[in-house]
Amino acid sequence: MKWTKIIPLTALIVLAFSTSAFGQCKAFAKKQCLPELGNYTHDGNYHAAVLVEGEEAELYKTFYSDMEYRVAIVGEDKLPAIEFSVMDANRNVLYSNKEHNYASTWDFRLEASQQLKLVIKVTKFNAADEMPANGCVSIMFGFKM
Amino acid sequence: MNRHSKVSTFFVLGLLLTAGLFVGCKGGKKAPVEKEDTAISFVLDHDAIMQDIEQAEKVFNALPSPVESAMLIKSAGAEYNEALLNPISNASSYVTNRAMALNLGVYTCDLSFSSMYEQTQLLIDYMNAAKKMADGLGILDAIAQEDIDRLEENINDSEVIMDIVSQTFMNSNSYLEENGQPATAAMVLLGGWIEGFYISTQLVNMDNFANDKLVGRIVDQKFSIDILLNLLADSRGNQAVDELIDQVNELKTVFDKVTVETSAPRPVYDEATQSTVIKSESKVNITKEVFNELTTTVSLIRNSFINP
């Protein structure tokens, strides 16, 4: 086989793998996370990433007074439980799903608009010798008027 | 092919396949190394990976989406005014990546605004304008013809319409995020945010300034200005984004003249609604002069977006 044939062929294979991995979280988010919003209107924003066991992510968002919100945070089945907490600007914890059996959704409303921080953490499987699991984690917001 | 060249070929293929898997996973920090893939991969340093994971941090900066912005305007009791929207006829003049990205956000906001106020024909026109921008950016299937057909079939069902609008917006920004175009994704979000902000400022009744709920919603955008700057900062170095950062900083300078004092939030679970109420109070201080300054600044920015 000549290099002139190998390189384009390899590039095609690499592209196919890359595209598949890129699209992986979008399909997961639409199929697994979106339904968790129930009768709340999805805001249309997309937040998803491949996270590894033990990895942490943060999300900053302004929430408005007198709106009813639902946040849904879902990880792929191959991941351990997804822990998330919601904090105010001074890092006071307003909610932690760890105290609610790692619930994937939380419904809330605010009396005063403010910016909140969500800390999302993929817990660990307690298998120190094995390669850590990885998979998509999706965060979605829904609201009601 | 001799033995040596066969080994080289498979070595290169294996190396590139492995590289492809990592590229597809958007960076080493989040490398999704499947257990079965380790056989064709190079030896992984477990301790180094664990250390990397401990240090890893992914940050999402979430702006209000066009759908949310339109809803905030309506919930504040504002009247609908078609004259405030970006004319659909402008769509054909957007040819650069920057102009199409910003106006995909602008048109999606106008589309959401039209949807909220049940402007049936207009929302189809704006869906088509948004589709033109998405197609121009090469976003595959962000807005498919079947979405427009479904929109027409459910033209009187506001819930279905909002569902379609939010889905098409998600299709656009997820495509851009997952195909390595975060700068374009950020510009789409900025365009939508600025349009919502612009429409809000134009709808305020200055004779009732102190009691207009829309003023409160506009002041609330102060909380998002740093989120917006952080979002854009992730693509610093991109010439279009650098210029946009300067424009947003002008807005921030005006917002710095607005003060908002919020008491410590206190969560209280409400059994009746099975949801949590975050109790707190806020005190806002904005003068008419500062408000007018905000209005002028956002108008200039918005006009630079729709008249590139």
Side-chain angles (χ1 to χ4, degrees), chain A residues 1 3 6 9-10 13-14 17-19 21-26 29-30 34 41-62 64-67 69 78 88 93-95 106-115 120 124 128-132 134-135 139-141 143-145, chain B residues 1 8-9 12-13 16-17 20-21 23-26 29-35 38 44 46 49-50 53-54 56-65 67-68 71-72 74-75 116 162 166-167 169-171 173-175 177-179 189 217 220-221 223-224 227 262 265-267 274-282:
Chain A
M1 198 184 292
W3 286 108
I6 295 166
L9 176 67
T10 310
I13 295 168
V14 169
F17 269 86
S18 310
T19 307
F22 277 141
Q24 177 187 352
C25 286
K26 180 187 169 187
K30 284 180 90 166
L34 193 59
T41 301
H42 177 219
D43 68 2
N45 278 337
Y46 173 77
H47 315 289
V50 174
L51 298 180
V52 187
E53 259 182 81
E55 193 172 5
E56 207 172 273
E58 294 178 350
L59 183 145
Y60 295 86
K61 177 173 169 62
T62 302
Y64 299 92
S65 58
D66 302 326
M67 296 263 293
Y69 287 100
K78 61 185 175 180
D88 67 12
V93 177
L94 304 174
Y95 174 83
W106 181 48
D107 297 345
F108 64 102
R109 70 180 171 86
L110 292 92
E111 289 186 343
S113 303
Q114 54 203 291
Q115 187 191 118
I120 302 104
K124 292 184 180 180
D129 296 337
E130 293 192 9
M131 287 305 299
N134 64 86
I139 307 149
M140 285 188 176
F141 298 96
F143 56 76
K144 282 182 189 172
M145 284 177 76
Chain B
M1 190 185 287
S8 300
T9 302
V12 171
L13 278 170
L16 285 169
L17 278 172
L21 285 170
V23 167
C25 295
K26 294 178 79 182
K29 279 183 182 175
K30 303 185 293 298
V33 184
E34 297 287 351
K35 285 171 188 170
T38 53
L44 293 157
H46 186 264
I49 289 174
M50 294 311 294
I53 291 165
E54 296 298 333
E57 193 178 75
K58 168 80 183 165
V59 178
F60 297 99
N61 292 293
L63 274 185
S65 69
V67 177
E68 194 174 1
M71 193 279 308
L72 288 168
K74 187 172 183 191
S75 67
M116 285 284 172
M162 290 315 294
S166 71
Q167 288 307 296
F169 189 66
M170 183 172 117
N171 287 343
N173 59 44
S174 62
Y175 180 91
E177 285 288 346
E178 296 203 328
N179 284 278
L189 290 168
R217 292 305 190 201
D220 287 344
Q221 301 310 315
F223 296 114
S224 290
I227 295 175
T262 307
R266 187 169 52 91
Q274 295 194 316
S275 67
T276 305
V277 181
I278 310 292
K279 293 188 171 289
S280 63
E281 289 175 6
S282 66

Side-chain angles (χ1 to χ4, degrees), chain B residues 105-125:
Chain B
V106 168
Y107 280 137
T108 306
C109 187
D110 292 346
L111 164 63
S112 305
F113 190 56
S114 304
S115 306
M116 285 284 172
Y117 289 84
E118 295 167 0
Q119 301 294 309
T120 53
Q121 182 51 50
L122 208 58
L123 73 91
I124 291 170
D125 293 342

